[in-house]
Structure formats: structure tokens, C-alpha cells
Amino acid sequence: MYTISRFSQLCKMSARMLRHYDKEDLLKPVHVDTTNGYRYYEKDQLETALRIKKLKEYKFSLPEIKSILQTSDKTFFPELMVAKVNELSDEMNRYRQIISEMQEMMETNTDIIRGERRPYDIWLGMRNEIIVLSQRLQANIKDMDKYVDALYEKAEKEHIQLLSAPSAIFFDEEFIPDHSDVELIIPVAHVKDNDGSLLKDWTLKKWPEAYVATTLHIGSYDNIGYAHIALEEWTEGNGYHLVSPPYETYLKGPECDCPVEEYVTQVFFPVAKAAKK
């Protein structure tokens, strides 16, 4: 058996990291001396340690690595590899976009500290009552498109006419991207009440008429907060107040296979005139 110090040298991992893997039930020593707490490892565990090290290089999380090491399903790891390749590809594309933006800022001498807040035009109008399909989710924001795509596929199969782009209402008090409380909404022409194949996941309901203040946001979702701020300032400055959560309608997004600078999102604030004091 090897001491933790010697095993650390062999697998090129720090003793601190090995203790952490022990705590996470990822790589436990075969023996721990009860008198002094010394940890001991066997030669066969070196292969496991090196595999963990390689999987970490591939950007797998510790829970994912633990699942890979423990599963007997031969299809699990290849499927996880495909998902990880796609995830890393998306991350690389995001880094390329960031580099491009930074290079453009340097070339144009843009003030990267203060940035630039563009003006938003605000419109006030009536949203008519309409029939919608809605689904309340607790999900990762990255997965929203999957739920919408699934609905489009079902709608096409069931010959259901979707009338406009999808909308989303976010109910979280703070930004929780990996576990968001969100309601997806899509207006429809007509759906049969007994259409169980579709309505088992989605709820058919009436979206009541409402006054809405609205604006268009052009560009990345990262900066959509500016549109919300513009609507908040307009609402307060013109004697209105919010009567229900704001929502966003995605007129043009990732499905268009275009740069994020060309995304178009309409932001809505359902409002009412504030009572005079």
C-alpha cells in the first residue's frame, strides 16, 4: 500500500485534493489508520485516480465523474461525452463572441467601464384577450428552447395553429439560471379540450385583456435589463403601476441562426393607472 504522500506523487494530485475526493466518495483510501488518521491507497487505485484526472481535463463535474465511475451502463459515458462536447462547443462559441466584442471595443475606443445605454421607445396599448397554452416550469434557462421546440413538434403533429412567438414570465425574485420558476406562453387559434396528448404537459387558458407598456430590445439577452429599466422609469414617470409580472416575447432569437446582436425581444409591463392620492 502507498501512503497518501506517495500516492499523491504517483498520480500528480495534491494530498488536499485526494482528501476532498475521499470526502466526496469519489476515491476513498483502502485503509485509514484509526490511531493517526493516515490514509493508504493500493496500486490498483492509481488507474482510477488518473481516470478522474483525465475526466476533469474534459471538464466533467465531480458528480458526473462519480456517475461515470459507478455506472454499469455502457451507453452512459458515450452519451455524456456527446453532451459535454456540445456544451464545450457552445462555451467556445461564447468565448469567440466575447473576444470579438472586446476587439471591437478596442478598435473603436469604446468606454468599457461605463458602457453605453441606448434609448428605448415605449408604447402603451391594449392586449386583447386570447387563448394560450402555458406551462409552468422549474428548469434551467438554457433548456427553455427545448420545451418550446417540443411544443412546436406536438402542435404540428396535432395540426394546432400557433399564432405568435413564445413568451416567458419569470417569477423568481432573483436570477437563478439553473432552477428558474418560469411560465412559457404561446397563443393558439384553437385546441380541443380533450386533446390529452398535448394538454398533459400544457394548460389551455384565457389570457385576459390588459393595458401593457412595451418596448423592443435589440441584441443579447445579457443586456435586456436595460429594457426593463426603461419600462420601470416610464411606468413610474407617467403615473402607472405594475399589475402583474412583466413578460418577454421572443420575436427573433437562437432559432434564426443569426448573431446575438440581431435578436429581437419585446418586453411587456401589464399596467394600470395609479390611484390619485
Side-chain angles (χ1 to χ4, degrees):
M1 289 193 296
Y2 299 110
T3 64
I4 190 171
S5 298
R6 179 56 179 157
F7 193 75
S8 171
Q9 292 173 341
L10 292 172
C11 64
K12 306 301 181 186
M13 290 182 183
S14 68
R16 178 175 174 271
M17 185 63 69
L18 289 171
R19 292 188 184 95
H20 180 63
Y21 290 163
D22 179 11
K23 182 180 179 182
E24 295 294 325
D25 293 327
L26 194 60
L27 179 59
K28 301 188 75 65
V30 293
H31 175 69
V32 179
D33 193 314
T34 56
T35 59
N36 53 30
Y38 288 175
R39 292 170 165 84
Y40 295 91
Y41 295 82
E42 288 184 339
K43 181 174 59 177
D44 293 344
Q45 290 182 288
L46 179 61
E47 183 178 349
T48 302
L50 294 177
R51 191 178 183 195
I52 292 171
K53 191 174 182 179
K54 179 59 67 175
L55 290 171
K56 282 197 66 180
E57 291 178 7
Y58 291 165
K59 303 302 181 181
F60 286 102
S61 66
L62 292 189
E64 288 172 333
I65 293 173
K66 186 175 181 180
S67 297
I68 292 169
L69 295 178
Q70 293 179 348
T71 185
S72 59
D73 185 353
K74 294 183 179 180
T75 65
F76 179 76
F77 182 56
E79 291 173 353
L80 201 59
M81 282 282 281
V82 171
K84 184 60 65 175
V85 167
N86 292 334
E87 179 184 325
L88 293 176
S89 297
D90 291 341
E91 188 174 348
M92 287 176 60
N93 291 334
R94 176 58 179 160
Y95 281 138
R96 290 192 184 100
Q97 178 188 334
I98 291 173
I99 292 171
S100 177
E101 291 178 2
M102 293 173 69
Q103 289 174 333
E104 183 180 353
M105 284 182 175
M106 290 186 291
E107 292 171 359
T108 58
N109 294 320
T110 302
D111 187 338
I112 62 174
I113 302 300
R114 291 183 299 174
E116 183 178 353
R117 178 180 171 185
R118 70 173 183 81
Y120 286 87
D121 294 323
I122 310 295
W123 300 274
L124 180 67
M126 176 67 75
R127 182 192 70 202
N128 295 326
E129 180 184 277
I130 192 169
I131 303 298
V132 299
L133 285 173
S134 76
Q135 186 178 23
R136 186 77 173 260
L137 301 168
Q138 300 284 336
N140 193 311
I141 288 179
K142 294 180 180 179
D143 296 332
M144 293 298 103
D145 287 343
K146 297 180 182 178
Y147 290 98
V148 175
D149 290 345
L151 175 62
Y152 274 92
E153 292 175 3
K154 288 182 180 180
E156 183 177 1
K157 181 179 179 181
E158 301 293 339
H159 305 290
I160 296 170
Q161 183 181 358
L162 305 179
L163 296 181
S164 65
S167 301
I169 304 174
F170 296 93
F171 294 94
D172 294 307
E173 294 183 0
E174 61 181 286
F175 183 61
I176 309 175
D178 58 346
H179 193 71
S180 293
D181 183 4
V182 59
E183 182 179 8
L184 295 178
I185 294 175
I186 300 184
V188 295
H190 179 68
V191 179
K192 296 178 182 179
D193 292 337
N194 60 356
D195 190 354
S197 63
L198 181 61
L199 299 185
K200 66 179 182 180
D201 298 322
W202 293 75
T203 299
L204 183 68
K205 68 178 184 180
K206 289 183 179 179
W207 214 8
E209 67 176 14
Y211 276 110
V212 291
T214 182
T215 191
L216 286 178
H217 173 73
I218 312 295
S220 171
Y221 300 137
D222 292 341
N223 303 322
I224 202 168
Y226 287 127
H228 285 259
I229 291 173
L231 283 166
E232 287 176 359
E233 293 175 346
W234 184 94
T235 299
E236 295 174 2
N238 288 273
Y240 288 86
H241 68 276
L242 199 63
V243 296
S244 60
Y247 61 96
E248 301 169 358
T249 299
Y250 306 103
L251 304 178
K252 186 178 180 181
E255 77 287 343
C256 72
D257 194 24
C258 59
V260 295
E261 292 81 10
E262 298 179 12
Y263 288 5
V264 181
T265 308
Q266 191 166 7
V267 183
F268 292 87
F269 273 36
V271 296
K273 200 69 174 179
K276 294 182 179 180
K277 297 181 179 179

